[in-house]
Amino acid sequence: MDIRGDLDALGARFPEVAIEEVPAGGYNVRVAKGQYLDVVSYLREVGYNFPSCITAVDWKDRLELVVQLYKLTEGLTNSQIVMVRVDGLPREGAKVPSITPLYPGLDWHERETFDMYGVQFEGHPNPKRILLPDNWQGGYPLLKDFVDKRPKRPRLVRHRV
Amino acid sequence: MEQTKELLLNMGPQHPSTHGVLRLLVKLDGETITWAEADVGYLHRCFEKLSEAKTYPQVLPFTDRTDYLSAITNEHCFALATEKLMGLQVPERAEYIRVLMSELQRICSHLLGLGAMAMDLGAVTAFLYAWRDREKMYSLFERITGGRMLYNYLRVGGVRNDLPEGIIGTPKDGRELADKTIWGFINYLDSYVLPEWETLVTGNRIFQWRTQGVAPLTAKDAIAYGTSGAVLRGSGVNWDLRKNQPYSIYDRFEFDIPLGKENGDCFDRWWVRAEEMKQSSRIVKQALQWIQETPGEIMPAKMPRAIKPPKGEIYQRIEGSRGEVACHVISDGGPNPYKVKWRSPCFTHLQLIPYISPGFKLADMIAIIGSIDIVLGEVDR
C-alpha cells in the first residue's frame, strides 16, 4: 500500500510523470529524459534502495530504457517493483545520464545495456563493453534489425550417406 | 636502482581455482591486492537474443543453461512469469512438486558451492565429500526428471511428470536408501552430512582463520550493490524473497532465515549457505508429507493448445540458489516472447570484487571468489 502512497507523492512532486499499475504486478513510472535523473534520485531518497536491474527495449522505431527498483527493508512484505521508464530514445546514439553513482549495483547492468543496445550512459565511471569483445564492430545484438555479419561456420554434422 | 613496482597479475581464464572461465586482473603490492577487475563474457551464449526467436516452451530449457547448477529454480522463474502473463492456475500438486524440486536443487547447489570453496582453500576432501552426496542427489533427479544436471522438468502450467512410484519412501528410511528415496536422502543429510560439514570444515580452526575477517561487507553496501541471497543475508540483512515476496506456495511452509553478522565476511557467507541447507531440508520434509497424503493432477485441466500470452509484461523475481533471479518478459501477443531479460545474481555479485578485495592478500582472493559462489554460465548467459 505504501508503494502507491510513495508514487502519489512522486506524482505530486513531478506532475509530468505518468504512473500506472502493471496488471501482472508492479508499477510503471514513465518519465521524460530530462527528468529521469531527478526522479531516480527522488526515489533513492524515499527509500527505493535496491537496484534490481536496468535494461532497454527495442520497439522497432525507438528505444525504451527500463530501470527496476524496489524497497528493501527488513520485515517489509509485498514490496512491489517500480519500473522507471524513459521512452522515445533514438535507436542510434541514445544518451542518458548514468545512475551508477546513485546505485553502484547497476554498474555492470548499464555496461551490458550499452553492449547490447548501444545506449550510452553519461557519467558512468567505467564505460566499457562487458560481455562482447572490446574490439567488437558488429553492431548492437539485441536490436531487432541486427544481422550477424560473421562468416558462417561449416556445419559439423555428418550427412547420412 | 631497484624499485618496488606494482605487479599486474592475470588470473584465468583457465586458472583451475577460478570456477570456470573467469578472468581476473589483479594489481599487487608485494602480496597485497591494490586493485582488481573481473573480465567476463567468455561464456556468452546469446540467451536473450535466442529466446526472441523461440516459443515460450522452447525457452524453458535454455533457462536451465544459464545457472546450470541450479536449473530448476531458473525454470521456475520463467514458468511463473509465463503463467502470470497468461493467467494460468497451476494445480496444487504441481506447485508442491516444484517447491520440493527447488529446495532439493538448492541443497545440491549449496553442496557444490561449499565444496568448491573448501577445495580452493586447500581442503580437497570436503569437495570429494560434496561430490559423493551430490551423486546421490543426481540419482534421485535422474529418476524423477530423466536428466542429471539440466532437467527441462517444469512446464508452463505444471510439471512434466508426477514423481515416480517409490521415490518418496518413508520417514524411517536410513542412509542405505539415500540414493533411492527422497526421505532416505533427507534423513542422511540431516543425520550425517550436515554434522560432518560442521565438524570437518565450519568448525575447523584453519578454515576459520582463512575466512574470518576477510572481505567484510556492510549491510548498507550489500543493498546498494544489489546483492541478494547468501551474500546479502551474510551481511545480516533479513531479506528472502521466499518470505518477503512469497511466490508459488512458499507462504505455506515454516522455515527460518539464517543471518550473518552486521559486517559479513567470507565466513558468514559460508555459514549462511550451510544453515540454508538445513532450512531447505525442513521445507522438503513438509512438502513430502503433503505430496504423500494428497494425490492430484500435475497439469491444468484446461490447458490452451498454443501458449500465446496476451500483450503485457512482467518482471518476475524469485529466490534462486545464489540470490535474486529475475526475468523481464514482454509479450506482444505472439508465440515468441518479444523480449526476455535475465537478471542473474552472479553477474551482480561479481561487481563486488573490485570493491571488497583491495587490501587483502592474493590468497584471500580465492576465498572471496568462493564465498560469493559464482557460476559463470549465469554471469555471461
Side-chain angles (χ1 to χ4, degrees):
Chain A
M1 255 347 259
D2 63 328
I3 307 285
R4 184 75 236 189
D6 285 340
L7 293 182
D8 285 341
L10 174 80
R13 172 92 180 268
F14 302 94
E16 297 88 9
V17 169
I19 298 163
E20 66 195 44
E21 202 170 338
V22 183
Y27 292 93
N28 273 337
V29 176
R30 297 181 188 279
V31 300
K33 197 178 123 187
Q35 281 192 325
Y36 167 62
L37 197 58
D38 295 335
V39 168
V40 175
S41 358
Y42 175 82
L43 285 173
R44 179 86 176 88
E45 273 166 32
V46 295
Y48 287 81
N49 51 0
F50 192 81
S52 193
C53 198
I54 184 168
T55 184
V57 187
D58 181 12
W59 292 111
K60 294 189 180 146
D61 54 344
R62 63 190 198 279
L63 284 184
E64 185 177 21
L65 190 78
V66 188
V67 186
Q68 283 102 355
L69 309 168
Y70 65 86
K71 262 187 180 177
L72 194 157
T73 41
E74 293 186 11
L76 183 67
T77 52
N78 203 12
S79 172
Q80 298 279 338
I81 199 99
V82 172
M83 294 198 255
V84 182
R85 315 177 78 110
V86 187
D87 207 347
L89 296 171
R91 293 184 78 236
E92 274 172 37
K95 278 184 186 168
V96 289
S98 164
I99 53 170
T100 300
L102 292 169
Y103 296 102
L106 288 180
D107 181 343
W108 282 22
H109 292 279
E110 283 191 345
R111 281 170 69 185
E112 192 192 336
T113 311
F114 166 69
D115 230 4
M116 298 294 163
Y117 289 94
V119 179
Q120 285 179 28
F121 292 90
E122 287 171 320
H124 191 283
N126 189 15
K128 283 199 304 186
R129 288 191 178 278
I130 184 157
L131 290 178
L132 298 177
D134 285 339
N135 55 358
W136 175 258
Q137 296 288 332
Y140 298 106
L142 280 183
L143 295 181
K144 289 281 177 185
D145 53 1
F146 170 76
V147 184
D148 193 353
K149 295 197 193 84
R150 291 173 299 172
K152 284 263 181 294
R153 286 194 210 161
R155 286 191 64 175
L156 295 176
V157 181
R158 192 183 296 163
H159 293 284
R160 213 170 273 172
V161 190
Chain B
M1 198 177 82
E2 298 247 328
Q3 229 179 346
T4 29
K5 273 196 294 187
E6 275 189 339
L7 175 74
L8 179 68
L9 188 73
N10 183 34
M11 290 171 81
Q14 269 90 32
H15 193 278
S17 65
T18 50
H19 296 253
V21 276
L22 167 68
R23 178 171 172 237
L24 283 175
L25 287 162
V26 189
K27 271 187 192 160
L28 294 174
D29 174 17
E31 225 182 299
T32 311
I33 299 167
T34 56
W35 174 89
E37 198 178 83
D39 182 9
V40 300
Y42 290 93
L43 215 58
H44 181 53
R45 290 153 298 170
C46 328
F47 163 70
E48 284 157 20
K49 187 77 180 171
L50 266 174
S51 47
E52 287 173 12
K54 303 274 176 200
T55 61
Y56 287 85
Q58 283 174 333
V59 176
L60 262 178
F62 281 123
T63 60
D64 280 350
R65 281 139 181 93
T66 54
D67 182 353
Y68 40 76
L69 294 176
S70 178
I72 294 277
T73 53
N74 296 332
E75 288 175 17
H76 201 170
C77 181
F78 191 76
L80 272 176
T82 316
E83 283 150 11
K84 277 195 185 167
L85 277 176
M86 294 175 72
L88 263 181
Q89 185 65 37
V90 182
E92 220 175 0
R93 189 175 171 83
E95 293 269 31
Y96 271 93
I97 293 178
R98 283 178 176 191
V99 168
L100 170 80
M101 293 299 285
S102 295
E103 295 306 316
L104 283 175
Q105 183 79 82
R106 200 183 306 274
I107 295 171
C108 190
S109 163
H110 281 349
L111 270 179
L112 182 77
L114 298 184
M117 180 177 172
M119 183 180 74
D120 291 351
L121 292 172
V124 183
T125 324
F127 183 69
L128 297 177
Y129 282 5
W131 218 255
R132 174 199 68 193
D133 304 329
R134 275 168 54 85
E135 203 54 42
K136 298 189 188 346
M137 300 202 83
Y138 276 166
S139 316
L140 290 174
F141 285 141
E142 194 177 1
R143 272 183 66 203
I144 297 171
T145 68
R148 285 170 66 80
M149 197 165 160
L150 306 164
Y151 311 107
N152 191 12
Y153 179 56
L154 268 56
R155 291 284 182 268
V156 176
V159 291
R160 189 181 62 194
N161 55 286
D162 208 332
L163 299 178
E165 221 165 287
I167 191 94
I168 297 179
T170 59
K172 288 195 205 77
D173 285 353
R175 256 182 90 174
E176 67 287 352
L177 288 172
D179 54 349
K180 305 251 173 5
T181 64
I182 303 178
W183 268 116
F185 180 79
I186 288 296
N187 288 339
Y188 166 65
L189 185 85
D190 283 347
S191 65
Y192 190 77
V193 178
L194 295 176
E196 188 183 61
W197 278 93
E198 244 160 51
T199 43
L200 191 67
V201 196
T202 313
N204 185 324
R205 195 183 278 183
I206 303 170
F207 178 78
Q208 291 183 356
W209 281 340
R210 280 292 301 272
T211 51
Q212 278 177 347
V214 173
L217 181 67
T218 62
K220 209 174 156 222
D221 282 343
I223 297 173
Y225 271 84
T227 63
S228 44
V231 182
L232 183 65
R233 292 193 282 278
S235 292
V237 184
N238 188 347
W239 184 265
D240 189 320
L241 288 172
R242 290 174 291 172
K243 283 257 192 219
N244 297 71
Q245 184 80 24
Y247 55 94
S248 193
I249 48 162
Y250 271 107
D251 44 354
R252 299 186 197 173
F253 296 98
E254 264 180 41
F255 61 100
D256 299 323
I257 301 176
L259 293 178
K261 52 182 185 293
E262 165 59 21
N263 257 356
D265 51 24
C266 287
F267 183 78
D268 283 300
R269 285 165 226 150
W270 163 285
W271 185 84
V272 166
R273 277 195 193 94
E275 288 296 306
E276 262 182 20
M277 290 204 286
K278 288 181 194 164
Q279 303 304 330
S280 290
S281 116
R282 273 175 76 187
I283 300 179
V284 167
K285 282 182 215 157
Q286 293 167 40
L288 276 179
Q289 221 149 25
W290 192 94
I291 291 174
Q292 247 169 344
E293 288 162 2
T294 330
E297 289 298 313
I298 50 157
M299 284 296 268
K302 268 194 182 169
M303 190 68 195
R305 184 160 286 195
I307 295 181
K308 274 190 189 174
K311 250 184 177 186
E313 69 171 309
I314 184 166
Y315 188 75
Q316 175 66 43
R317 298 166 275 167
I318 68 154
E319 185 76 30
S321 302
R322 283 169 189 75
E324 177 187 306
V325 180
C327 69
H328 185 202
V329 183
I330 298 183
S331 160
D332 59 349
N336 302 348
Y338 187 78
K339 177 204 161 72
V340 176
K341 161 80 188 173
W342 200 260
R343 189 261 191 210
S344 64
C346 298
F347 186 72
T348 319
H349 288 166
L350 209 48
Q351 301 176 76
L352 282 173
I353 288 206
Y355 179 67
I356 56 176
S357 59
F360 293 96
K361 302 273 187 258
L362 181 63
D364 294 334
M365 188 57 131
I366 308 300
I368 296 170
I369 299 170
S371 78
I372 60 176
D373 191 13
I374 45 167
V375 171
L376 266 293
E378 196 182 34
V379 173
D380 299 341
R381 280 155 292 151

